[in-house]
Amino acid sequence: MKRNIITIDREKCTGCGECIPNCPEGAIQIIDQKASLVSDLFCDGLGACLGHCPEGAIGIEEREAGDYNEREVMENIVKQGPNVINAHLTHLKDHHQDAYVKEALDYLNDAGIGIPETGKKAETGACGCPGSGSRTIKRAGMTATLAEQPSRLMQWPVQLRLISPMADYFKGSDLLLTADCVGYAIGDFHEKWLKGKSIAIACPKLDEDKDGYRDKLIALIDKANINTLTVMTMEVPCCSGLLRLAQEAAAHASRKIPIKSVVVGIEGGINIP
């Protein structure tokens, strides 16, 4: 089956091992002084290890891989003790993987292993993924009124799962494809980025049906004849999946259009690669 799974650039990897503690599933080991993915079955593709490599050697790709097996993962995890069990449960809950959580709890019950007290943290704790890290952002006082900042949204719906590529407002438009969080990070998002454009929003980390998203983007290029595609993502590593999705769609489309990538910092800074 095709699914998200981590990839390790062995040229960049120094074998420091900092990624190992952040993969409680045990999918990564140091072999021949390099980090290696030892089993597709152990990698859930949710990216707990992302952002913990000082060399930036770890990423996520969509490829053919064996089905992730939660029970086999749990066999490995319980050997490592309650803290690792808790880290794993927290990781799954933070990513809303309810089916995997149930399988993990069923395994613990079948094996007669109690859920560790620290497991309570799994209800609200963060898994350590860069995109889930807590941060307080201090801002100066805001004085602008709603009247001074008019909305530039010209359509509804906006979620990529819900939009119709054949809607009139997409035809011949400049499309802005953004990660869900982008509009909340930029104060002048409507005036500087959305004005005069059609829009579709998606979350490359939490949304499912990536194939359906890709097909819609292909239809927007080939059937709606959009003129340009601007992809806005957040700086966290998992968000780059939206740009890859757009690039894949453009590669499969019959028409060729320019794609612009804009990366938004959590504190609102803009980087255009």
Side-chain angles (χ1 to χ4, degrees), residues 1-166:
M1 65 175 292
K2 206 174 228 188
R3 65 182 181 90
N4 286 344
I5 200 159
I6 69 157
T7 177
I8 301 172
D9 187 333
R10 292 181 65 82
E11 293 296 320
K12 291 182 179 179
C13 177
T14 63
C16 68
E18 290 190 26
C19 54
I20 303 293
N22 298 289
C23 180
E25 295 75 28
I28 303 175
Q29 293 181 18
I30 301 297
I31 300 174
D32 295 331
Q33 299 182 326
K34 297 284 184 179
S36 300
L37 178 65
V38 296
S39 174
D40 289 354
L41 299 179
F42 288 177
C43 179
D44 57 20
L46 300 177
C49 53
L50 285 175
H52 294 283
C53 174
E55 306 301 323
I58 300 179
I60 288 182
E61 63 179 353
E62 187 179 40
R63 65 169 173 82
E64 291 290 337
D67 289 350
Y68 171 75
N69 190 309
E70 180 62 34
R71 293 191 73 86
E72 289 195 27
V73 166
M74 287 304 297
E75 287 179 9
N76 180 50
I77 281 178
V78 295
K79 300 172 186 175
Q80 303 174 65
N83 288 338
V84 179
I85 295 174
N86 175 64
H88 178 64
L89 292 174
T90 300
H91 173 58
L92 294 179
K93 287 196 172 188
D94 283 344
H95 288 279
H96 309 290
Q97 297 297 313
D98 296 340
Y100 290 155
V101 171
K102 183 179 184 305
E103 285 185 47
L105 295 178
D106 286 347
Y107 177 91
L108 292 174
N109 288 330
D110 292 345
I113 300 172
I115 300 172
E117 279 298 310
T118 50
K120 294 178 181 178
K121 181 181 169 187
E123 297 295 332
T124 57
C127 68
C129 306
S132 303
S134 298
R135 183 187 305 186
T136 299
I137 302 172
K138 295 182 179 180
R139 302 287 189 193
M142 305 295 287
T143 57
T145 66
L146 181 62
E148 293 171 333
Q149 299 291 331
S151 172
R152 297 299 182 179
L153 183 65
M154 300 187 297
Q155 66 179 81
W156 190 263
V158 297
Q159 218 286 335
L160 186 54
R161 186 185 302 276
L162 302 177
I163 62 107
S164 168
M166 300 313 296

